Amino acid sequence: MIQYYVACKRELWFFSKQINMNYDNEDILIGRMIHEKSYSRNNKSINFGDIAVDFINNKNLTVFEVKKSSKLEEPVRWQLYYYLWYIKKFTGKDVNGVILYPTERKREEVKLTRDIEREIERILDDIKKIIEEKNPPPPVFKPYCRRCSYYEFCTV
């Protein structure tokens, strides 16, 4: 939900109400295929409590997140911050993070700071408020909205 929160609070509200429009979205299907084909020697989708990370390098305590493209860079970064925060909360260990964009041959290292931890906690409080609302937040149009499967809900 952190990724939805950063990308679009309206999409977060729809998702929280189980109004899921994008499971057969072409971009999601391509992303799944890239995830399955890339980094095949690594363990995939490791579940840890309420989160599922793409894979972990236990040797240097690094969590990896594989994405199709960097178009939603900021929401993805906050998703990974949340994973690092969550793991630290339950293990007490600092963990590194890396976002991989295999089709772009790009990678971004992510570090959790105390300021980011506080922001995660604030975001989690705000998420609770948004999903408790009777109606979705008003639409805020962004460059990537046209490719969103909820686009019709926002333009009607």
PDB file of all heavy atoms in Angstrom, residues 4-14 72 130 136-148 150-151 153-156:
ATOM      1  N   TYR A   4       1.244   2.410  -3.578  1.00  0.00           N
ATOM      2  CA  TYR A   4       0.023   3.074  -4.036  1.00  0.00           C
ATOM      3  C   TYR A   4      -0.109   4.459  -3.402  1.00  0.00           C
ATOM      4  O   TYR A   4      -0.501   5.413  -4.053  1.00  0.00           O
ATOM      5  CB  TYR A   4      -1.222   2.257  -3.684  1.00  0.00           C
ATOM      6  CG  TYR A   4      -1.419   1.022  -4.522  1.00  0.00           C
ATOM      7  CD1 TYR A   4      -1.708  -0.195  -3.922  1.00  0.00           C
ATOM      8  CD2 TYR A   4      -1.356   1.062  -5.903  1.00  0.00           C
ATOM      9  CE1 TYR A   4      -1.915  -1.334  -4.684  1.00  0.00           C
ATOM     10  CE2 TYR A   4      -1.555  -0.068  -6.667  1.00  0.00           C
ATOM     11  CZ  TYR A   4      -1.839  -1.267  -6.046  1.00  0.00           C
ATOM     12  OH  TYR A   4      -2.045  -2.388  -6.808  1.00  0.00           O
ATOM     13  N   TYR A   5       0.210   4.554  -2.134  1.00  0.00           N
ATOM     14  CA  TYR A   5       0.102   5.837  -1.430  1.00  0.00           C
ATOM     15  C   TYR A   5       0.958   6.908  -2.115  1.00  0.00           C
ATOM     16  O   TYR A   5       0.500   8.022  -2.341  1.00  0.00           O
ATOM     17  CB  TYR A   5       0.537   5.684   0.035  1.00  0.00           C
ATOM     18  CG  TYR A   5       0.549   6.981   0.801  1.00  0.00           C
ATOM     19  CD1 TYR A   5      -0.591   7.438   1.442  1.00  0.00           C
ATOM     20  CD2 TYR A   5       1.704   7.753   0.875  1.00  0.00           C
ATOM     21  CE1 TYR A   5      -0.585   8.642   2.137  1.00  0.00           C
ATOM     22  CE2 TYR A   5       1.712   8.954   1.575  1.00  0.00           C
ATOM     23  CZ  TYR A   5       0.568   9.392   2.202  1.00  0.00           C
ATOM     24  OH  TYR A   5       0.581  10.580   2.882  1.00  0.00           O
ATOM     25  N   VAL A   6       2.190   6.558  -2.433  1.00  0.00           N
ATOM     26  CA  VAL A   6       3.091   7.531  -3.038  1.00  0.00           C
ATOM     27  C   VAL A   6       2.687   7.833  -4.484  1.00  0.00           C
ATOM     28  O   VAL A   6       2.736   8.970  -4.917  1.00  0.00           O
ATOM     29  CB  VAL A   6       4.559   7.046  -2.960  1.00  0.00           C
ATOM     30  CG1 VAL A   6       5.499   7.991  -3.684  1.00  0.00           C
ATOM     31  CG2 VAL A   6       4.979   6.896  -1.497  1.00  0.00           C
ATOM     32  N   ALA A   7       2.236   6.809  -5.210  1.00  0.00           N
ATOM     33  CA  ALA A   7       1.849   7.005  -6.617  1.00  0.00           C
ATOM     34  C   ALA A   7       0.510   7.708  -6.736  1.00  0.00           C
ATOM     35  O   ALA A   7       0.362   8.678  -7.484  1.00  0.00           O
ATOM     36  CB  ALA A   7       1.793   5.667  -7.342  1.00  0.00           C
ATOM     37  N   CYS A   8      -0.504   7.212  -5.974  1.00  0.00           N
ATOM     38  CA  CYS A   8      -1.858   7.748  -6.128  1.00  0.00           C
ATOM     39  C   CYS A   8      -2.723   7.310  -4.948  1.00  0.00           C
ATOM     40  O   CYS A   8      -3.053   6.128  -4.810  1.00  0.00           O
ATOM     41  CB  CYS A   8      -2.458   7.241  -7.441  1.00  0.00           C
ATOM     42  SG  CYS A   8      -4.170   7.735  -7.693  1.00  0.00           S
ATOM     43  N   LYS A   9      -3.113   8.262  -4.142  1.00  0.00           N
ATOM     44  CA  LYS A   9      -3.928   7.950  -2.966  1.00  0.00           C
ATOM     45  C   LYS A   9      -5.302   7.409  -3.363  1.00  0.00           C
ATOM     46  O   LYS A   9      -5.894   6.600  -2.657  1.00  0.00           O
ATOM     47  CB  LYS A   9      -4.036   9.173  -2.066  1.00  0.00           C
ATOM     48  CG  LYS A   9      -2.698   9.522  -1.434  1.00  0.00           C
ATOM     49  CD  LYS A   9      -2.724  10.837  -0.733  1.00  0.00           C
ATOM     50  CE  LYS A   9      -1.401  11.197  -0.131  1.00  0.00           C
ATOM     51  NZ  LYS A   9      -0.310  11.401  -1.057  1.00  0.00           N
ATOM     52  N   ARG A  10      -5.804   7.826  -4.510  1.00  0.00           N
ATOM     53  CA  ARG A  10      -7.090   7.318  -5.006  1.00  0.00           C
ATOM     54  C   ARG A  10      -6.972   5.827  -5.354  1.00  0.00           C
ATOM     55  O   ARG A  10      -7.829   5.027  -5.013  1.00  0.00           O
ATOM     56  CB  ARG A  10      -7.522   8.142  -6.221  1.00  0.00           C
ATOM     57  CG  ARG A  10      -8.905   7.842  -6.732  1.00  0.00           C
ATOM     58  CD  ARG A  10      -9.270   8.872  -7.813  1.00  0.00           C
ATOM     59  NE  ARG A  10     -10.515   8.595  -8.458  1.00  0.00           N
ATOM     60  CZ  ARG A  10     -11.699   9.027  -8.049  1.00  0.00           C
ATOM     61  NH1 ARG A  10     -11.785   9.768  -6.945  1.00  0.00           N
ATOM     62  NH2 ARG A  10     -12.796   8.731  -8.700  1.00  0.00           N
ATOM     63  N   GLU A  11      -5.887   5.461  -6.029  1.00  0.00           N
ATOM     64  CA  GLU A  11      -5.646   4.061  -6.356  1.00  0.00           C
ATOM     65  C   GLU A  11      -5.509   3.235  -5.073  1.00  0.00           C
ATOM     66  O   GLU A  11      -5.996   2.114  -4.986  1.00  0.00           O
ATOM     67  CB  GLU A  11      -4.398   3.929  -7.224  1.00  0.00           C
ATOM     68  CG  GLU A  11      -4.145   2.515  -7.696  1.00  0.00           C
ATOM     69  CD  GLU A  11      -2.947   2.411  -8.623  1.00  0.00           C
ATOM     70  OE1 GLU A  11      -2.136   3.357  -8.713  1.00  0.00           O
ATOM     71  OE2 GLU A  11      -2.824   1.357  -9.268  1.00  0.00           O
ATOM     72  N   LEU A  12      -4.845   3.794  -4.068  1.00  0.00           N
ATOM     73  CA  LEU A  12      -4.727   3.139  -2.765  1.00  0.00           C
ATOM     74  C   LEU A  12      -6.111   2.837  -2.199  1.00  0.00           C
ATOM     75  O   LEU A  12      -6.376   1.738  -1.725  1.00  0.00           O
ATOM     76  CB  LEU A  12      -3.945   4.034  -1.795  1.00  0.00           C
ATOM     77  CG  LEU A  12      -4.054   3.678  -0.310  1.00  0.00           C
ATOM     78  CD1 LEU A  12      -3.391   2.351  -0.019  1.00  0.00           C
ATOM     79  CD2 LEU A  12      -3.473   4.786   0.545  1.00  0.00           C
ATOM     80  N   TRP A  13      -7.016   3.815  -2.249  1.00  0.00           N
ATOM     81  CA  TRP A  13      -8.357   3.632  -1.704  1.00  0.00           C
ATOM     82  C   TRP A  13      -9.080   2.513  -2.465  1.00  0.00           C
ATOM     83  O   TRP A  13      -9.675   1.631  -1.851  1.00  0.00           O
ATOM     84  CB  TRP A  13      -9.148   4.935  -1.798  1.00  0.00           C
ATOM     85  CG  TRP A  13     -10.478   4.870  -1.119  1.00  0.00           C
ATOM     86  CD1 TRP A  13     -10.745   5.174   0.183  1.00  0.00           C
ATOM     87  CD2 TRP A  13     -11.723   4.476  -1.707  1.00  0.00           C
ATOM     88  NE1 TRP A  13     -12.083   4.982   0.438  1.00  0.00           N
ATOM     89  CE2 TRP A  13     -12.711   4.559  -0.707  1.00  0.00           C
ATOM     90  CE3 TRP A  13     -12.093   4.061  -2.985  1.00  0.00           C
ATOM     91  CZ2 TRP A  13     -14.039   4.238  -0.937  1.00  0.00           C
ATOM     92  CZ3 TRP A  13     -13.420   3.737  -3.220  1.00  0.00           C
ATOM     93  CH2 TRP A  13     -14.380   3.830  -2.195  1.00  0.00           C
ATOM     94  N   PHE A  14      -9.018   2.531  -3.811  1.00  0.00           N
ATOM     95  CA  PHE A  14      -9.656   1.470  -4.610  1.00  0.00           C
ATOM     96  C   PHE A  14      -9.078   0.112  -4.240  1.00  0.00           C
ATOM     97  O   PHE A  14      -9.809  -0.855  -4.030  1.00  0.00           O
ATOM     98  CB  PHE A  14      -9.467   1.712  -6.111  1.00  0.00           C
ATOM     99  CG  PHE A  14     -10.291   2.840  -6.663  1.00  0.00           C
ATOM    100  CD1 PHE A  14      -9.712   3.793  -7.489  1.00  0.00           C
ATOM    101  CD2 PHE A  14     -11.648   2.951  -6.390  1.00  0.00           C
ATOM    102  CE1 PHE A  14     -10.457   4.835  -8.018  1.00  0.00           C
ATOM    103  CE2 PHE A  14     -12.402   3.985  -6.912  1.00  0.00           C
ATOM    104  CZ  PHE A  14     -11.810   4.930  -7.722  1.00  0.00           C
ATOM    105  N   LEU A  72       7.883   4.659 -12.342  1.00  0.00           N
ATOM    106  CA  LEU A  72       7.320   4.926 -11.010  1.00  0.00           C
ATOM    107  C   LEU A  72       8.420   4.805  -9.953  1.00  0.00           C
ATOM    108  O   LEU A  72       8.245   4.177  -8.916  1.00  0.00           O
ATOM    109  CB  LEU A  72       6.169   3.957 -10.708  1.00  0.00           C
ATOM    110  CG  LEU A  72       4.944   4.100 -11.583  1.00  0.00           C
ATOM    111  CD1 LEU A  72       3.937   2.986 -11.294  1.00  0.00           C
ATOM    112  CD2 LEU A  72       4.290   5.452 -11.391  1.00  0.00           C
ATOM    113  N   ILE A 130      -6.949   7.184   5.011  1.00  0.00           N
ATOM    114  CA  ILE A 130      -7.483   7.148   3.643  1.00  0.00           C
ATOM    115  C   ILE A 130      -8.388   5.943   3.441  1.00  0.00           C
ATOM    116  O   ILE A 130      -9.486   6.073   2.890  1.00  0.00           O
ATOM    117  CB  ILE A 130      -6.327   7.143   2.609  1.00  0.00           C
ATOM    118  CG1 ILE A 130      -5.631   8.499   2.629  1.00  0.00           C
ATOM    119  CG2 ILE A 130      -6.835   6.795   1.206  1.00  0.00           C
ATOM    120  CD1 ILE A 130      -4.321   8.541   1.867  1.00  0.00           C
ATOM    121  N   PRO A 136     -13.453   7.738  -2.198  1.00  0.00           N
ATOM    122  CA  PRO A 136     -12.032   7.860  -2.556  1.00  0.00           C
ATOM    123  C   PRO A 136     -11.598   9.325  -2.582  1.00  0.00           C
ATOM    124  O   PRO A 136     -12.430  10.224  -2.770  1.00  0.00           O
ATOM    125  CB  PRO A 136     -11.970   7.261  -3.960  1.00  0.00           C
ATOM    126  CG  PRO A 136     -13.333   7.438  -4.514  1.00  0.00           C
ATOM    127  CD  PRO A 136     -14.279   7.312  -3.336  1.00  0.00           C
ATOM    128  N   PRO A 137     -10.321   9.561  -2.401  1.00  0.00           N
ATOM    129  CA  PRO A 137      -9.808  10.935  -2.542  1.00  0.00           C
ATOM    130  C   PRO A 137     -10.064  11.425  -3.969  1.00  0.00           C
ATOM    131  O   PRO A 137     -10.203  10.614  -4.890  1.00  0.00           O
ATOM    132  CB  PRO A 137      -8.306  10.790  -2.289  1.00  0.00           C
ATOM    133  CG  PRO A 137      -8.130   9.487  -1.605  1.00  0.00           C
ATOM    134  CD  PRO A 137      -9.258   8.619  -2.047  1.00  0.00           C
ATOM    135  N   PRO A 138     -10.105  12.724  -4.171  1.00  0.00           N
ATOM    136  CA  PRO A 138     -10.305  13.244  -5.532  1.00  0.00           C
ATOM    137  C   PRO A 138      -9.112  12.882  -6.416  1.00  0.00           C
ATOM    138  O   PRO A 138      -7.994  12.709  -5.917  1.00  0.00           O
ATOM    139  CB  PRO A 138     -10.410  14.760  -5.336  1.00  0.00           C
ATOM    140  CG  PRO A 138      -9.775  15.027  -4.032  1.00  0.00           C
ATOM    141  CD  PRO A 138      -9.949  13.801  -3.190  1.00  0.00           C
ATOM    142  N   PRO A 139      -9.346  12.762  -7.720  1.00  0.00           N
ATOM    143  CA  PRO A 139      -8.221  12.423  -8.602  1.00  0.00           C
ATOM    144  C   PRO A 139      -7.203  13.562  -8.692  1.00  0.00           C
ATOM    145  O   PRO A 139      -7.565  14.730  -8.649  1.00  0.00           O
ATOM    146  CB  PRO A 139      -8.883  12.192  -9.962  1.00  0.00           C
ATOM    147  CG  PRO A 139     -10.246  12.763  -9.872  1.00  0.00           C
ATOM    148  CD  PRO A 139     -10.612  12.875  -8.423  1.00  0.00           C
ATOM    149  N   VAL A 140      -5.960  13.164  -8.768  1.00  0.00           N
ATOM    150  CA  VAL A 140      -4.855  14.090  -9.006  1.00  0.00           C
ATOM    151  C   VAL A 140      -4.136  13.530 -10.229  1.00  0.00           C
ATOM    152  O   VAL A 140      -3.553  12.452 -10.158  1.00  0.00           O
ATOM    153  CB  VAL A 140      -3.889  14.159  -7.800  1.00  0.00           C
ATOM    154  CG1 VAL A 140      -2.697  15.040  -8.113  1.00  0.00           C
ATOM    155  CG2 VAL A 140      -4.618  14.632  -6.553  1.00  0.00           C
ATOM    156  N   PHE A 141      -4.232  14.225 -11.353  1.00  0.00           N
ATOM    157  CA  PHE A 141      -3.696  13.683 -12.593  1.00  0.00           C
ATOM    158  C   PHE A 141      -2.186  13.861 -12.683  1.00  0.00           C
ATOM    159  O   PHE A 141      -1.654  14.934 -12.421  1.00  0.00           O
ATOM    160  CB  PHE A 141      -4.426  14.299 -13.795  1.00  0.00           C
ATOM    161  CG  PHE A 141      -5.860  13.868 -13.832  1.00  0.00           C
ATOM    162  CD1 PHE A 141      -6.861  14.691 -13.358  1.00  0.00           C
ATOM    163  CD2 PHE A 141      -6.201  12.605 -14.292  1.00  0.00           C
ATOM    164  CE1 PHE A 141      -8.190  14.272 -13.357  1.00  0.00           C
ATOM    165  CE2 PHE A 141      -7.517  12.180 -14.291  1.00  0.00           C
ATOM    166  CZ  PHE A 141      -8.516  13.015 -13.828  1.00  0.00           C
ATOM    167  N   LYS A 142      -1.528  12.749 -13.043  1.00  0.00           N
ATOM    168  CA  LYS A 142      -0.075  12.699 -13.158  1.00  0.00           C
ATOM    169  C   LYS A 142       0.276  12.145 -14.542  1.00  0.00           C
ATOM    170  O   LYS A 142      -0.586  11.564 -15.203  1.00  0.00           O
ATOM    171  CB  LYS A 142       0.486  11.805 -12.051  1.00  0.00           C
ATOM    172  CG  LYS A 142       0.162  12.355 -10.659  1.00  0.00           C
ATOM    173  CD  LYS A 142       0.638  11.441  -9.563  1.00  0.00           C
ATOM    174  CE  LYS A 142       0.248  12.033  -8.207  1.00  0.00           C
ATOM    175  NZ  LYS A 142       0.627  11.204  -7.105  1.00  0.00           N
ATOM    176  N   PRO A 143       1.510  12.275 -14.963  1.00  0.00           N
ATOM    177  CA  PRO A 143       1.880  11.825 -16.318  1.00  0.00           C
ATOM    178  C   PRO A 143       1.568  10.358 -16.605  1.00  0.00           C
ATOM    179  O   PRO A 143       1.279   9.998 -17.738  1.00  0.00           O
ATOM    180  CB  PRO A 143       3.392  12.080 -16.382  1.00  0.00           C
ATOM    181  CG  PRO A 143       3.640  13.143 -15.376  1.00  0.00           C
ATOM    182  CD  PRO A 143       2.617  12.946 -14.291  1.00  0.00           C
ATOM    183  N   TYR A 144       1.607   9.503 -15.604  1.00  0.00           N
ATOM    184  CA  TYR A 144       1.405   8.083 -15.836  1.00  0.00           C
ATOM    185  C   TYR A 144      -0.059   7.644 -15.718  1.00  0.00           C
ATOM    186  O   TYR A 144      -0.370   6.474 -15.873  1.00  0.00           O
ATOM    187  CB  TYR A 144       2.283   7.240 -14.908  1.00  0.00           C
ATOM    188  CG  TYR A 144       2.293   7.688 -13.463  1.00  0.00           C
ATOM    189  CD1 TYR A 144       1.263   7.364 -12.589  1.00  0.00           C
ATOM    190  CD2 TYR A 144       3.352   8.443 -12.965  1.00  0.00           C
ATOM    191  CE1 TYR A 144       1.279   7.781 -11.276  1.00  0.00           C
ATOM    192  CE2 TYR A 144       3.379   8.852 -11.645  1.00  0.00           C
ATOM    193  CZ  TYR A 144       2.345   8.517 -10.812  1.00  0.00           C
ATOM    194  OH  TYR A 144       2.371   8.929  -9.502  1.00  0.00           O
ATOM    195  N   CYS A 145      -0.978   8.548 -15.471  1.00  0.00           N
ATOM    196  CA  CYS A 145      -2.387   8.199 -15.266  1.00  0.00           C
ATOM    197  C   CYS A 145      -3.014   7.491 -16.478  1.00  0.00           C
ATOM    198  O   CYS A 145      -3.807   6.578 -16.315  1.00  0.00           O
ATOM    199  CB  CYS A 145      -3.211   9.430 -14.930  1.00  0.00           C
ATOM    200  SG  CYS A 145      -2.902  10.067 -13.271  1.00  0.00           S
ATOM    201  N   ARG A 146      -2.681   7.907 -17.672  1.00  0.00           N
ATOM    202  CA  ARG A 146      -3.306   7.336 -18.871  1.00  0.00           C
ATOM    203  C   ARG A 146      -3.109   5.833 -18.985  1.00  0.00           C
ATOM    204  O   ARG A 146      -3.918   5.147 -19.584  1.00  0.00           O
ATOM    205  CB  ARG A 146      -2.777   8.010 -20.127  1.00  0.00           C
ATOM    206  CG  ARG A 146      -3.290   9.407 -20.286  1.00  0.00           C
ATOM    207  CD  ARG A 146      -2.916   9.935 -21.674  1.00  0.00           C
ATOM    208  NE  ARG A 146      -3.288  11.315 -21.832  1.00  0.00           N
ATOM    209  CZ  ARG A 146      -4.500  11.722 -22.195  1.00  0.00           C
ATOM    210  NH1 ARG A 146      -5.441  10.847 -22.436  1.00  0.00           N
ATOM    211  NH2 ARG A 146      -4.761  13.000 -22.306  1.00  0.00           N
ATOM    212  N   ARG A 147      -2.045   5.301 -18.416  1.00  0.00           N
ATOM    213  CA  ARG A 147      -1.776   3.863 -18.493  1.00  0.00           C
ATOM    214  C   ARG A 147      -2.349   3.097 -17.296  1.00  0.00           C
ATOM    215  O   ARG A 147      -2.234   1.889 -17.224  1.00  0.00           O
ATOM    216  CB  ARG A 147      -0.282   3.626 -18.614  1.00  0.00           C
ATOM    217  CG  ARG A 147       0.258   4.247 -19.905  1.00  0.00           C
ATOM    218  CD  ARG A 147       1.585   3.712 -20.317  1.00  0.00           C
ATOM    219  NE  ARG A 147       1.695   2.281 -20.364  1.00  0.00           N
ATOM    220  CZ  ARG A 147       1.609   1.549 -21.460  1.00  0.00           C
ATOM    221  NH1 ARG A 147       1.368   2.118 -22.608  1.00  0.00           N
ATOM    222  NH2 ARG A 147       1.771   0.246 -21.408  1.00  0.00           N
ATOM    223  N   CYS A 148      -2.964   3.805 -16.381  1.00  0.00           N
ATOM    224  CA  CYS A 148      -3.518   3.184 -15.172  1.00  0.00           C
ATOM    225  C   CYS A 148      -4.846   2.503 -15.501  1.00  0.00           C
ATOM    226  O   CYS A 148      -5.681   3.051 -16.214  1.00  0.00           O
ATOM    227  CB  CYS A 148      -3.719   4.251 -14.095  1.00  0.00           C
ATOM    228  SG  CYS A 148      -4.477   3.621 -12.583  1.00  0.00           S
ATOM    229  N   TYR A 150      -7.253   2.173 -13.553  1.00  0.00           N
ATOM    230  CA  TYR A 150      -8.337   2.895 -12.880  1.00  0.00           C
ATOM    231  C   TYR A 150      -8.650   4.218 -13.580  1.00  0.00           C
ATOM    232  O   TYR A 150      -9.480   4.988 -13.099  1.00  0.00           O
ATOM    233  CB  TYR A 150      -7.949   3.211 -11.427  1.00  0.00           C
ATOM    234  CG  TYR A 150      -7.802   2.000 -10.541  1.00  0.00           C
ATOM    235  CD1 TYR A 150      -6.542   1.467 -10.275  1.00  0.00           C
ATOM    236  CD2 TYR A 150      -8.901   1.402  -9.944  1.00  0.00           C
ATOM    237  CE1 TYR A 150      -6.391   0.369  -9.458  1.00  0.00           C
ATOM    238  CE2 TYR A 150      -8.761   0.315  -9.124  1.00  0.00           C
ATOM    239  CZ  TYR A 150      -7.491  -0.206  -8.887  1.00  0.00           C
ATOM    240  OH  TYR A 150      -7.363  -1.282  -8.074  1.00  0.00           O
ATOM    241  N   TYR A 151      -8.019   4.496 -14.686  1.00  0.00           N
ATOM    242  CA  TYR A 151      -8.132   5.784 -15.367  1.00  0.00           C
ATOM    243  C   TYR A 151      -9.579   6.199 -15.591  1.00  0.00           C
ATOM    244  O   TYR A 151      -9.954   7.345 -15.354  1.00  0.00           O
ATOM    245  CB  TYR A 151      -7.374   5.726 -16.703  1.00  0.00           C
ATOM    246  CG  TYR A 151      -7.344   7.028 -17.453  1.00  0.00           C
ATOM    247  CD1 TYR A 151      -6.627   8.113 -16.957  1.00  0.00           C
ATOM    248  CD2 TYR A 151      -8.023   7.184 -18.654  1.00  0.00           C
ATOM    249  CE1 TYR A 151      -6.577   9.326 -17.638  1.00  0.00           C
ATOM    250  CE2 TYR A 151      -7.981   8.393 -19.334  1.00  0.00           C
ATOM    251  CZ  TYR A 151      -7.273   9.447 -18.832  1.00  0.00           C
ATOM    252  OH  TYR A 151      -7.228  10.633 -19.502  1.00  0.00           O
ATOM    253  N   PHE A 153     -12.187   5.498 -13.845  1.00  0.00           N
ATOM    254  CA  PHE A 153     -12.808   5.912 -12.592  1.00  0.00           C
ATOM    255  C   PHE A 153     -12.513   7.378 -12.269  1.00  0.00           C
ATOM    256  O   PHE A 153     -13.278   8.041 -11.606  1.00  0.00           O
ATOM    257  CB  PHE A 153     -12.300   5.069 -11.414  1.00  0.00           C
ATOM    258  CG  PHE A 153     -12.909   3.713 -11.315  1.00  0.00           C
ATOM    259  CD1 PHE A 153     -12.182   2.579 -11.629  1.00  0.00           C
ATOM    260  CD2 PHE A 153     -14.225   3.556 -10.893  1.00  0.00           C
ATOM    261  CE1 PHE A 153     -12.743   1.327 -11.536  1.00  0.00           C
ATOM    262  CE2 PHE A 153     -14.782   2.303 -10.793  1.00  0.00           C
ATOM    263  CZ  PHE A 153     -14.051   1.181 -11.125  1.00  0.00           C
ATOM    264  N   CYS A 154     -11.391   7.858 -12.756  1.00  0.00           N
ATOM    265  CA  CYS A 154     -10.972   9.216 -12.432  1.00  0.00           C
ATOM    266  C   CYS A 154     -11.433  10.236 -13.454  1.00  0.00           C
ATOM    267  O   CYS A 154     -11.473  11.425 -13.149  1.00  0.00           O
ATOM    268  CB  CYS A 154      -9.447   9.268 -12.329  1.00  0.00           C
ATOM    269  SG  CYS A 154      -8.818   8.206 -10.997  1.00  0.00           S
ATOM    270  N   THR A 155     -11.794   9.802 -14.640  1.00  0.00           N
ATOM    271  CA  THR A 155     -12.166  10.756 -15.690  1.00  0.00           C
ATOM    272  C   THR A 155     -13.659  10.837 -15.933  1.00  0.00           C
ATOM    273  O   THR A 155     -14.100  11.667 -16.728  1.00  0.00           O
ATOM    274  CB  THR A 155     -11.458  10.385 -17.011  1.00  0.00           C
ATOM    275  OG1 THR A 155     -11.827   9.064 -17.385  1.00  0.00           O
ATOM    276  CG2 THR A 155      -9.959  10.521 -16.883  1.00  0.00           C
ATOM    277  N   VAL A 156     -14.425  10.006 -15.287  1.00  0.00           N
ATOM    278  CA  VAL A 156     -15.881  10.018 -15.494  1.00  0.00           C
ATOM    279  C   VAL A 156     -16.488  11.213 -14.781  1.00  0.00           C
ATOM    280  O   VAL A 156     -16.133  11.579 -13.716  1.00  0.00           O
ATOM    281  CB  VAL A 156     -16.524   8.712 -14.975  1.00  0.00           C
ATOM    282  CG1 VAL A 156     -18.026   8.792 -15.003  1.00  0.00           C
ATOM    283  CG2 VAL A 156     -16.004   7.539 -15.763  1.00  0.00           C
TER     284      VAL A 156
END
